[in-house]
Structures are given as structure tokens and as C-alpha cells.
Amino acid sequence: TDQFTLDTKCGFVAIVGRPNVGKSTLMNHLLGQKISITSRKPQTTRHQILGIWSEEKTQMVFVDTPGMHRGQEKAINRVMNKAADTALTDIDVVLMVVDRTVWTDEDQWVLDKLTRVKAPVFLVINKVDQLDNKQTLLPHIDELSKKYDFAGVIPVSALHGHNLKHLTDDLVKNMPAGLFHFPDDQITDRSQRFMAAEIIREKIMRQLGEELPYSTAVEIEQFSFEDRVLHIHGLILVERNGQKRIVIGDKGARIKKIGQEARLDMEQLFEAKIMLNLWVKVKGGWADDDRALKSLGYFD
Ligand code: GDP
Ligand code: K
Ligand code: MG
């Protein structure tokens, strides 16, 4: 019999790049689901998140990484860099994402880290929708192609989904034979509780001023179904009293808006009616405290 003939492929694809080039947006669009939170602010992604893409014979497991960056001062930065490094072992393809026609020192720093990776590296030039002059793209692709022996250089718009089919086809070709690692209807390795906390954090990142988002964390205290309604209690942790006032806003307007937007995303992702309650609590210095990070799930 041919019962043992392996006709499926499965592999891991790491998405790397400096902060804000669109790694999480790319993963979400490849999956057709919002798995990883995104915002205009660097360091939105704090955790390594798997996004699982399956079709009949192929499964690709995308690893969205916190952006690689050089700042090591705070514990949270160390953890984020470690997560990005870990993503480079045991992977079959690397997608290095860059922004349009700019190549920065940080891009070079990321590329230098990739020289020890054995897997093929595809360069994804993202945000081409923002190019004023499309003529600059071809010479730029030529120039970047000389920097490294890339398996391919692919211009895309992650936000608008341009050219992503091309990218997916190239990736599928590079997947090794193997059994699926996950059930074909699973889209991420993270729990629904974790996803709920991330959605709340995304709304905070998007709605609040520059200084605040980095000193915020979210804990889910309750996540349970009652009468077919999903009841979620989220605790927003900030470092100072002033920050608490900002998150709550004038007569509670800000936290209400954060809650409304988060609830809409949750209803879509969990396909359920949601009752969401949010609280804000001051918990000093959590971003620089390994123990606090551990309790929030930043360490395994
Ligand atoms: P990451 O830090 O690399 O994960 O970047 P994000 O995915 O969080 O994206 C950073 C910002 O770039 C967000 O505001 C995205 O909406 C935006 N962005 C991502 N991809 C594109 C794109 O293809 N075109 C445009 N115009 N914006 C994009
Ligand atoms: K970002
Ligand atoms: Mg990200």
C-alpha cells in the first residue's frame, strides 16, 4: 500500500525585520485573519506569535517576531530580542521585511544577523503602495539583490494585499516534505485569553499618546461563557497614577472607546457575543522587572 507515502509539506517561516516595517501586518494578511496586533508605533509586537496557514497539502507556520532592535537597557527589550533570535533556529524560510526604498543601519544590522542562518532568505520590500515614483523600485531591487544571496526579492503591500499570492507561491515551493504540525483549522498557537489581552493592548497602542503604550500591560482576569455570552474582564496595568488618568480619560471616555473597539475585534475573532469589562491599575516599574514580566507571560 502507499499508506506511508508522505505527500504533505510543512515548514516554519520566520518573519524578521526592524520595528515598524509591517511584519505583523504581513502575517495577518497572509493568514486572512488578525492574529498579531499592529500599530504605527515600534515595539507593538512583544511576543513571538505563530500564525498557521493550511491548505490541502501544505501547512506553513509563520513566526511573527518582535522587531529586532539594538536597545538592551530594559528587561522588556532583552526579552523581545531573545524572542526574535529564537525565531531563527529550526526554521525553513526567512522573510526579511524592509520598508520601500529605504535601507537603514538597522536593516543592515538585521541582515548581518541572518548570515548565520542556513535557511533561504527572501527579501520582502513592503509598503510599495506608498512609493511616489514606482520607477525607483526596479533599480532599488537590483541594488538590494547585491547585498545578500537572497532566494528572492519580492515587492508587496502587506496592507493592501498586493503581490502576496506571488509570495505565498514562492513559500509553498520552499516547504519541506512533512506532516502537519497543527490541526488544519488551527490559526495560532496562542490561547483565546492571550488574544483577548493583545486586542486590548492594540487599542491602547493605537489610541494613546507616544509615551504611554510602552508602560502598559494587560492581564485577563476572567474569560468565561455564561448563557452563550463570553464574559471577559481585562486589567490594564500602568506604571503611574497620571497614566491611569490618561487611560481612563475624561469621564471615562477613553477607556470606553478602547473597550468598544476591542469588543468588536473580539466578536469577530471569537465568533461570540462579548461582555467586556476593563479596569486600570497602577503597578510601578513592570517594564523593567523580570519577575513582573514573567507573571505577564513574557517568559516561558
Ligand atoms: P511591525 O512592527 O513590523 O510588526 O509593523 P506593523 O505590522 O505593526 O505595521 C507598522 C505600521 O505600518 C502600521 O501602521 C501598518 O498599518 C503600516 N503598514 C504595514 N504594511 C503596510 C503597507 O503595505 N502599506 C502601508 N501604507 N502601510 C503599511
Ligand atoms: K509596529
Ligand atoms: Mg509587529
Side-chain angles (χ1 to χ4, degrees), residues 23-24 36-37 44-45 64-65:
K23 298 177 295 298
S24 299
S36 193
I37 66 169
T44 305
T45 308
D64 184 20
T65 60

Side-chain angles (χ1 to χ4, degrees), residues 25-276:
T25 306
L26 178 66
M27 183 170 90
N28 291 340
H29 277 253
L30 288 168
L31 295 172
Q33 281 265 20
K34 196 158 123 187
I35 297 303
S36 193
I37 66 169
T38 67
S39 91
R40 287 203 180 80
K41 301 187 176 77
Q43 305 186 33
T44 305
T45 308
R46 284 183 190 158
H47 310 265
Q48 184 174 302
I49 295 171
L50 299 187
I52 304 158
W53 181 100
S54 305
E55 58 171 29
E56 208 187 332
K57 298 284 181 197
T58 308
Q59 182 166 76
M60 298 196 279
V61 183
F62 292 95
V63 188
D64 184 20
T65 60
M68 295 188 189
H69 51 92
R70 290 175 279 193
Q72 298 273 331
E73 319 76 47
K74 289 199 164 189
I76 180 128
N77 284 352
R78 286 197 304 276
V79 173
M80 286 166 69
N81 267 338
K82 190 160 167 287
D85 270 353
T86 309
L88 293 178
T89 54
D90 295 326
I91 41 107
D92 301 288
V93 176
V94 177
L95 297 182
M96 176 176 170
V97 184
V98 296
D99 185 339
R100 287 168 292 164
T101 58
V102 274
W103 182 271
T104 68
D105 287 352
E106 261 188 316
D107 291 321
Q108 188 60 47
W109 183 78
V110 172
L111 184 62
D112 291 343
K113 293 195 96 161
L114 293 180
T115 51
R116 61 191 167 79
V117 172
K118 288 199 189 73
V121 178
F122 284 84
L123 184 71
V124 178
I125 303 178
N126 190 29
K127 308 195 189 185
V128 293
D129 57 286
Q130 285 186 329
L131 277 181
D132 296 327
N133 180 0
K134 301 267 190 274
Q135 315 289 348
T136 57
L137 192 56
L138 280 180
H140 189 62
I141 289 177
D142 276 349
E143 198 187 308
L144 293 186
S145 302
K146 291 179 199 134
K147 289 190 188 292
Y148 187 80
D149 191 13
F150 292 114
V153 179
I154 305 166
V156 305
S157 168
L159 194 62
H160 299 283
H162 295 153
N163 219 22
L164 293 189
K165 178 78 171 75
H166 179 165
L167 178 59
T168 311
D169 289 347
D170 276 348
L171 290 175
V172 168
K173 280 182 212 144
N174 278 276
M175 288 299 104
L179 296 170
F180 283 16
H181 280 82
F182 297 95
D184 61 6
D185 61 352
Q186 189 175 336
I187 53 170
T188 182
D189 62 324
R190 294 291 185 160
S191 67
Q192 290 190 323
R193 238 184 145 93
F194 173 86
M195 301 301 285
E198 285 289 275
I199 288 170
I200 297 164
R201 205 162 59 74
E202 180 186 76
K203 303 314 170 197
I204 296 168
M205 296 289 288
R206 289 185 176 194
Q207 290 194 32
L208 294 178
E210 284 304 317
E211 74 292 353
L212 193 63
Y214 304 109
S215 35
T216 309
V218 177
E219 254 174 6
I220 300 298
E221 297 203 309
Q222 189 191 332
F223 191 100
S224 58
F225 275 99
E226 283 161 37
D227 302 325
R228 274 182 276 139
V229 175
L230 183 52
H231 292 254
I232 300 174
H233 291 191
L235 184 61
I236 299 170
L237 298 170
V238 294
E239 288 180 336
R240 289 189 299 276
N241 252 315
Q243 296 172 331
K244 180 174 171 177
R245 278 196 296 277
I246 295 170
V247 174
I248 291 171
D250 189 23
K251 298 197 179 80
R254 180 56 61 193
I255 194 163
K256 191 171 166 200
K257 188 142 186 286
I258 290 168
Q260 280 167 344
E261 292 193 2
R263 187 172 52 78
L264 289 177
D265 276 15
M266 289 174 185
E267 287 188 338
Q268 229 178 20
L269 188 65
F270 302 142
E271 295 174 334
K273 190 164 160 33
I274 311 277
M275 273 282 289
L276 176 63

